Amino acid sequence: MQEKYSNMEKLKKILRQVSDIVLVEQTEQKERWKRGECFNIFDILGLSTKEVRLHSAFIAEMLNPKGSHGLGDKMLRSFVGNVIKSRVPAFDFDPLSAQVFVEYYIGAISEDNSEGGRIDILIQDLNKNTIIIENKIYAGDQPLQLSRYNKYAVNTARLSNDKYVILYLTLEGKSANDESVGKIQFEYYSISYKEDILKWLNDCLYLAVLHPSTRETIAQYKLNLESILNIMNESTTSKILDVLTDNANIESALTITSLGEEIKKTIRRKFVLRLEEELAPLLSQHNLVFNKDDIERFTVLSRGYPAIRIYRKSKETPSFSIQVEAGEVYYGLSIDAENLNPKKLKMTEPIWQEANDYWPHGWSYFPGNLKYWGNNEALIDMALGAELLNIIKRELERAIQLHAFDDIDRLLIL
């Protein structure tokens, strides 16, 4: 018992030390906001985590020797030298003659998922040396996705093993799952935004020193990426690492880090239960049901659009839904697929944006980093704050007051 108590005290001590450092970082962050240093055009435009519309398009443009950045093949040369040749030293590639393609079409996906699809980024030089990049921010793997790209390289493009590389790009550099790779053995290389891309961007900033517009755009993109990755400034990170790697703290620190994902899942789960409790009076007043049957998939941000749903006791559709898609969370009034009317269900004056057949009154992301429920800012608000909770309560009340449930009922019976 004494040893258990001692270990718990060690954990508390570490957490207090880290908390003090983070508090200083938060104060400095507020000052940076005041000075405009956190201005991020990509987040303002709602593109911060869009794989195709931002990340693939932006990276491809930087890698394009004929790109509008004005740096010729310098950034592609840096990418090949620092990212690819560190893994495949013998890979021969001529950056100057390269062509770059985004969403490169390799045919319709076959019924058995063994062929076809769109390669996020494909780069090929005059000698047909080819770089294939599969880009993942929050989206999950598709069946046999990497296997299809490898099959295209070997069977369609007829490239030998030394003529192409497949890169699997994720936030943290994880491996593709077995479903994406399939049973046929082939080589691919995991790279990460956190290590490979950020280091490459730093090199690109140096290369763009005489191109101020390009340099500023790259800096904005890097800021956006650091926000997604929850990266603190180097000084704060160094201080926290000093605390965690102190000889007296290593065992406890490793225990904490090993529980990282479980901590996040628990915070999200507790938030859902807290939300149910806070909404109880409103739900009771309007005869609404809080359905958390999907809570397990929802709290791990699973694929397949898991949702927390609120609907009338008399009928389950439409429902006020808080839904996950590719790590981003949004809300609105949704209709189950089986209840779709052949006629269009969009409202002429929707409450939220992007009205469609499934979301007749539209839908909306939570603001800023609060839409990323894997992000520290959102997790801290779930545990200690009230902004997410207040947004959900306010928007549900607004839907009730505007008779939005009844609006959709009338459309469903037309």
Side-chain angles (χ1 to χ4, degrees):
M1 179 65 73
Q2 182 63 36
E3 183 182 353
K4 183 177 180 180
Y5 176 79
S6 176
N7 288 338
M8 187 59 68
E9 286 302 309
K10 286 180 182 178
L11 286 170
K12 288 180 179 178
K13 180 182 176 182
I14 294 173
L15 292 174
R16 282 194 297 269
Q17 290 175 295
V18 172
S19 180
D20 289 342
I21 296 170
V22 171
L23 183 60
V24 173
E25 161 74 11
Q26 290 172 339
T27 303
E28 292 176 352
Q29 178 77 352
K30 289 177 182 178
E31 293 301 315
R32 289 195 289 271
W33 271 100
K34 291 177 182 178
R35 295 193 297 268
E37 295 175 12
C38 297
F39 180 80
N40 182 354
I41 190 63
F42 301 113
D43 192 46
I44 292 168
L45 295 175
L47 297 171
S48 57
T49 63
K50 300 302 180 185
E51 288 169 3
V52 176
R53 291 174 60 201
L54 173 59
H55 295 278
S56 291
F58 189 82
I59 290 171
E61 181 66 13
M62 290 178 67
L63 294 173
N64 187 354
K66 300 179 180 65
S68 57
H69 46 71
L71 292 170
D73 69 338
K74 290 180 181 178
M75 291 193 286
L76 176 55
R77 192 173 295 277
S78 170
F79 185 85
V80 171
N82 293 304
V83 177
I84 296 178
K85 284 190 175 291
S86 64
R87 293 165 170 85
V88 194
F91 185 64
D92 187 26
F93 194 85
D94 175 27
L96 190 59
S97 68
Q99 287 186 294
V100 182
F101 306 91
V102 181
E103 287 286 282
Y104 186 79
Y105 183 67
I106 59 173
I109 297 178
S110 59
E111 287 189 15
D112 63 357
N113 295 304
S114 66
E115 296 180 333
R118 292 183 182 272
I119 296 171
D120 288 332
I121 302 173
L122 184 141
I123 311 167
Q124 192 171 69
D125 72 8
L126 196 61
N127 298 312
K128 302 299 182 183
N129 296 302
T130 304
I131 301 167
I132 293 171
I133 303 176
E134 174 56 26
N135 182 22
K136 298 289 186 188
I137 298 293
Y138 289 122
D141 290 332
Q142 297 175 20
L144 299 178
Q145 190 170 24
L146 288 189
S147 178
R148 281 185 268 124
Y149 300 163
N150 184 71
K151 191 171 185 178
Y152 163 79
V154 175
N155 294 347
T156 305
R158 298 186 179 280
L159 301 173
S160 57
N161 289 341
D162 63 335
K163 298 284 284 185
Y164 73 97
V165 292
I166 298 176
L167 303 178
Y168 183 72
L169 171 59
T170 63
L171 291 177
E172 303 285 347
K174 70 175 185 178
S175 300
N177 65 28
D178 292 341
E179 184 183 22
S180 176
V181 176
K183 296 180 180 179
I184 298 175
Q185 295 295 312
F186 61 92
E187 198 81 65
Y188 77 90
Y189 302 91
S190 297
I191 64 173
S192 75
Y193 278 97
K194 190 170 186 177
E195 295 292 333
D196 299 286
I197 299 300
L198 280 179
K199 287 179 181 177
W200 172 63
L201 290 174
N202 284 331
D203 195 33
C204 292
L205 286 171
Y206 172 77
L207 294 171
V209 67
L210 298 179
H211 297 72
S213 179
T214 297
R215 181 179 172 84
E216 179 57 31
T217 305
I218 295 171
Q220 284 270 304
Y221 179 73
K222 182 171 178 280
L223 177 68
N224 177 71
L225 197 54
E226 289 172 339
S227 176
I228 296 172
L229 291 164
N230 298 314
I231 292 177
M232 297 180 178
N233 68 49
E234 290 182 12
S235 174
T236 301
T237 301
S238 179
K239 290 174 183 176
I240 291 176
L241 288 174
D242 284 344
V243 170
L244 296 179
T245 57
D246 184 278
N247 288 345
N249 296 336
I250 286 177
E251 186 176 353
S252 298
L254 291 174
T255 300
I256 293 172
T257 55
S258 69
L259 293 172
E261 285 306 313
E262 290 301 320
I263 291 170
K264 292 179 181 181
K265 285 190 287 186
T266 301
I267 290 172
R268 289 190 285 261
R269 182 182 181 84
K270 285 184 176 180
F271 174 75
V272 171
L273 298 177
R274 175 185 166 206
L275 177 65
E276 181 180 26
E277 183 178 346
E278 292 285 340
L279 291 180
L282 178 65
L283 301 181
S284 177
Q285 179 183 352
H286 295 281
N287 292 316
L288 296 171
V289 174
F290 189 96
N291 186 316
K292 58 179 188 293
D293 290 349
D294 217 8
I295 190 171
E296 298 305 326
R297 293 174 65 247
F298 185 84
T299 54
V300 298
L301 307 182
S302 177
R303 294 172 60 191
Y305 308 102
I308 300 300
R309 301 169 60 233
I310 298 170
Y311 47 78
R312 293 162 294 181
K313 290 182 178 178
S314 57
K315 55 181 70 175
E316 293 188 15
T317 196
S319 67
F320 182 88
S321 299
I322 305 158
Q323 189 160 299
V324 178
E325 179 184 3
E328 299 179 325
V329 185
Y330 51 95
Y331 58 86
L333 279 173
S334 68
I335 296 176
D336 293 336
E338 60 266 24
N339 288 290
L340 279 178
N341 190 297
K343 296 182 180 181
K344 295 293 183 183
L345 294 176
K346 297 177 186 176
M347 293 291 172
T348 54
E349 295 183 9
I351 297 174
W352 303 287
Q353 62 181 1
E354 308 288 348
N356 57 50
D357 288 354
Y358 291 95
W359 303 82
H361 259 301
W363 54 270
S364 178
Y365 284 117
F366 289 98
N369 283 335
L370 294 180
K371 68 182 174 186
Y372 312 126
W373 283 24
N375 185 289
N376 285 356
E377 186 175 329
L379 291 164
I380 290 169
D381 184 78
M382 288 179 208
L384 304 175
E387 188 173 356
L388 278 168
L389 193 150
N390 288 335
I391 291 170
I392 294 168
K393 184 176 181 181
R394 181 189 70 224
E395 296 302 302
L396 176 59
E397 286 178 331
R398 190 152 73 104
I400 293 169
Q401 291 165 4
L402 293 173
H403 307 290
F405 288 88
D406 297 329
D407 285 347
I408 297 174
D409 278 348
R410 283 191 288 272
L411 282 180
L412 287 171
I413 61 175
L414 286 177

